PDB file of all heavy atoms in Angstrom:
ATOM      1  N   ALA A  28     -12.446  -2.503  -6.117  1.00 90.00           N
ATOM      2  CA  ALA A  28     -12.115  -1.592  -4.965  1.00 90.00           C
ATOM      3  C   ALA A  28     -11.486  -2.391  -3.837  1.00 90.00           C
ATOM      4  O   ALA A  28     -10.578  -1.880  -3.186  1.00 90.00           O
ATOM      5  CB  ALA A  28     -13.426  -0.967  -4.491  1.00 90.00           C
ATOM      6  N   ILE A  29     -11.878  -3.656  -3.616  1.00 89.00           N
ATOM      7  CA  ILE A  29     -11.274  -4.467  -2.598  1.00 89.00           C
ATOM      8  C   ILE A  29      -9.820  -4.728  -2.989  1.00 89.00           C
ATOM      9  O   ILE A  29      -8.912  -4.666  -2.101  1.00 89.00           O
ATOM     10  CB  ILE A  29     -12.026  -5.821  -2.475  1.00 89.00           C
ATOM     11  CG1 ILE A  29     -13.425  -5.554  -1.865  1.00 89.00           C
ATOM     12  CG2 ILE A  29     -11.222  -6.785  -1.612  1.00 89.00           C
ATOM     13  CD1 ILE A  29     -14.316  -6.834  -1.846  1.00 89.00           C
ATOM     14  N   ARG A  30      -9.548  -5.049  -4.234  1.00 89.00           N
ATOM     15  CA  ARG A  30      -8.189  -5.350  -4.642  1.00 89.00           C
ATOM     16  C   ARG A  30      -7.321  -4.063  -4.587  1.00 89.00           C
ATOM     17  O   ARG A  30      -6.175  -4.144  -4.078  1.00 89.00           O
ATOM     18  CB  ARG A  30      -8.168  -5.882  -6.081  1.00 89.00           C
ATOM     19  CG  ARG A  30      -8.704  -7.287  -6.238  1.00 89.00           C
ATOM     20  CD  ARG A  30      -8.382  -7.901  -7.584  1.00 89.00           C
ATOM     21  NE  ARG A  30      -8.799  -9.272  -7.680  1.00 89.00           N
ATOM     22  CZ  ARG A  30      -9.929  -9.696  -8.231  1.00 89.00           C
ATOM     23  NH1 ARG A  30     -10.777  -8.776  -8.729  1.00 89.00           N
ATOM     24  NH2 ARG A  30     -10.272 -10.952  -8.253  1.00 89.00           N
ATOM     25  N   ALA A  31      -7.844  -2.958  -5.031  1.00 91.00           N
ATOM     26  CA  ALA A  31      -7.061  -1.751  -5.029  1.00 91.00           C
ATOM     27  C   ALA A  31      -6.770  -1.291  -3.638  1.00 91.00           C
ATOM     28  O   ALA A  31      -5.690  -0.869  -3.272  1.00 91.00           O
ATOM     29  CB  ALA A  31      -7.819  -0.593  -5.786  1.00 91.00           C
ATOM     30  N   GLY A  32      -7.835  -1.344  -2.738  1.00 92.00           N
ATOM     31  CA  GLY A  32      -7.618  -0.948  -1.363  1.00 92.00           C
ATOM     32  C   GLY A  32      -6.609  -1.821  -0.677  1.00 92.00           C
ATOM     33  O   GLY A  32      -5.731  -1.309   0.053  1.00 92.00           O
ATOM     34  N   GLY A  33      -6.718  -3.137  -0.854  1.00 91.00           N
ATOM     35  CA  GLY A  33      -5.716  -4.045  -0.239  1.00 91.00           C
ATOM     36  C   GLY A  33      -4.299  -3.806  -0.737  1.00 91.00           C
ATOM     37  O   GLY A  33      -3.349  -3.857   0.047  1.00 91.00           O
ATOM     38  N   ALA A  34      -4.168  -3.538  -2.052  1.00 92.00           N
ATOM     39  CA  ALA A  34      -2.804  -3.287  -2.594  1.00 92.00           C
ATOM     40  C   ALA A  34      -2.243  -2.003  -2.041  1.00 92.00           C
ATOM     41  O   ALA A  34      -1.039  -1.956  -1.727  1.00 92.00           O
ATOM     42  CB  ALA A  34      -2.910  -3.201  -4.134  1.00 92.00           C
ATOM     43  N   HIS A  35      -3.029  -0.965  -1.900  1.00 94.00           N
ATOM     44  CA  HIS A  35      -2.533   0.312  -1.357  1.00 94.00           C
ATOM     45  C   HIS A  35      -2.178   0.166   0.135  1.00 94.00           C
ATOM     46  O   HIS A  35      -1.198   0.773   0.599  1.00 94.00           O
ATOM     47  CB  HIS A  35      -3.533   1.422  -1.609  1.00 94.00           C
ATOM     48  CG  HIS A  35      -3.526   1.965  -2.977  1.00 94.00           C
ATOM     49  ND1 HIS A  35      -2.553   2.842  -3.404  1.00 94.00           N
ATOM     50  CD2 HIS A  35      -4.366   1.800  -4.002  1.00 94.00           C
ATOM     51  CE1 HIS A  35      -2.774   3.183  -4.677  1.00 94.00           C
ATOM     52  NE2 HIS A  35      -3.857   2.570  -5.076  1.00 94.00           N
ATOM     53  N   TYR A  36      -2.991  -0.567   0.867  1.00 93.00           N
ATOM     54  CA  TYR A  36      -2.605  -0.827   2.274  1.00 93.00           C
ATOM     55  C   TYR A  36      -1.358  -1.610   2.384  1.00 93.00           C
ATOM     56  O   TYR A  36      -0.501  -1.396   3.258  1.00 93.00           O
ATOM     57  CB  TYR A  36      -3.767  -1.531   3.002  1.00 93.00           C
ATOM     58  CG  TYR A  36      -4.864  -0.660   3.454  1.00 93.00           C
ATOM     59  CD1 TYR A  36      -6.194  -0.899   3.101  1.00 93.00           C
ATOM     60  CD2 TYR A  36      -4.599   0.469   4.201  1.00 93.00           C
ATOM     61  CE1 TYR A  36      -7.235  -0.065   3.479  1.00 93.00           C
ATOM     62  CE2 TYR A  36      -5.677   1.343   4.609  1.00 93.00           C
ATOM     63  CZ  TYR A  36      -6.944   1.095   4.210  1.00 93.00           C
ATOM     64  OH  TYR A  36      -7.997   1.874   4.664  1.00 93.00           O
ATOM     65  N   ARG A  37      -1.162  -2.562   1.489  1.00 92.00           N
ATOM     66  CA  ARG A  37       0.092  -3.318   1.432  1.00 92.00           C
ATOM     67  C   ARG A  37       1.279  -2.427   1.101  1.00 92.00           C
ATOM     68  O   ARG A  37       2.373  -2.551   1.749  1.00 92.00           O
ATOM     69  CB  ARG A  37      -0.012  -4.441   0.389  1.00 92.00           C
ATOM     70  CG  ARG A  37       1.235  -5.245   0.182  1.00 92.00           C
ATOM     71  CD  ARG A  37       1.463  -6.229   1.272  1.00 92.00           C
ATOM     72  NE  ARG A  37       2.701  -7.022   1.063  1.00 92.00           N
ATOM     73  CZ  ARG A  37       3.013  -8.094   1.757  1.00 92.00           C
ATOM     74  NH1 ARG A  37       2.237  -8.539   2.718  1.00 92.00           N
ATOM     75  NH2 ARG A  37       4.190  -8.734   1.540  1.00 92.00           N
ATOM     76  N   ALA A  38       1.075  -1.502   0.170  1.00 93.00           N
ATOM     77  CA  ALA A  38       2.153  -0.570  -0.136  1.00 93.00           C
ATOM     78  C   ALA A  38       2.437   0.333   1.003  1.00 93.00           C
ATOM     79  O   ALA A  38       3.561   0.700   1.293  1.00 93.00           O
ATOM     80  CB  ALA A  38       1.718   0.253  -1.374  1.00 93.00           C
ATOM     81  N   SER A  39       1.423   0.739   1.766  1.00 94.00           N
ATOM     82  CA  SER A  39       1.639   1.554   2.954  1.00 94.00           C
ATOM     83  C   SER A  39       2.497   0.830   3.964  1.00 94.00           C
ATOM     84  O   SER A  39       3.409   1.474   4.536  1.00 94.00           O
ATOM     85  CB  SER A  39       0.257   1.920   3.576  1.00 94.00           C
ATOM     86  OG  SER A  39       0.464   2.623   4.796  1.00 94.00           O
ATOM     87  N   GLU A  40       2.259  -0.454   4.185  1.00 93.00           N
ATOM     88  CA  GLU A  40       3.101  -1.235   5.102  1.00 93.00           C
ATOM     89  C   GLU A  40       4.527  -1.318   4.646  1.00 93.00           C
ATOM     90  O   GLU A  40       5.444  -1.235   5.456  1.00 93.00           O
ATOM     91  CB  GLU A  40       2.432  -2.585   5.303  1.00 93.00           C
ATOM     92  CG  GLU A  40       1.108  -2.601   5.974  1.00 93.00           C
ATOM     93  CD  GLU A  40       0.434  -3.962   6.000  1.00 93.00           C
ATOM     94  OE1 GLU A  40       1.059  -4.940   5.421  1.00 93.00           O
ATOM     95  OE2 GLU A  40      -0.640  -4.136   6.550  1.00 93.00           O
ATOM     96  N   TYR A  41       4.670  -1.498   3.346  1.00 93.00           N
ATOM     97  CA  TYR A  41       6.030  -1.583   2.765  1.00 93.00           C
ATOM     98  C   TYR A  41       6.794  -0.293   2.948  1.00 93.00           C
ATOM     99  O   TYR A  41       7.958  -0.301   3.404  1.00 93.00           O
ATOM    100  CB  TYR A  41       5.932  -1.926   1.251  1.00 93.00           C
ATOM    101  CG  TYR A  41       7.238  -1.828   0.542  1.00 93.00           C
ATOM    102  CD1 TYR A  41       8.226  -2.780   0.666  1.00 93.00           C
ATOM    103  CD2 TYR A  41       7.510  -0.687  -0.272  1.00 93.00           C
ATOM    104  CE1 TYR A  41       9.456  -2.667  -0.011  1.00 93.00           C
ATOM    105  CE2 TYR A  41       8.695  -0.565  -0.912  1.00 93.00           C
ATOM    106  CZ  TYR A  41       9.686  -1.540  -0.784  1.00 93.00           C
ATOM    107  OH  TYR A  41      10.863  -1.386  -1.430  1.00 93.00           O
TER     108      TYR A  41
END
Side-chain angles (χ1 to χ4, degrees):
I29 291 174
R30 289 194 175 96
H35 280 284
Y36 279 127
R37 176 76 180 189
S39 174
E40 294 173 358
Y41 169 77

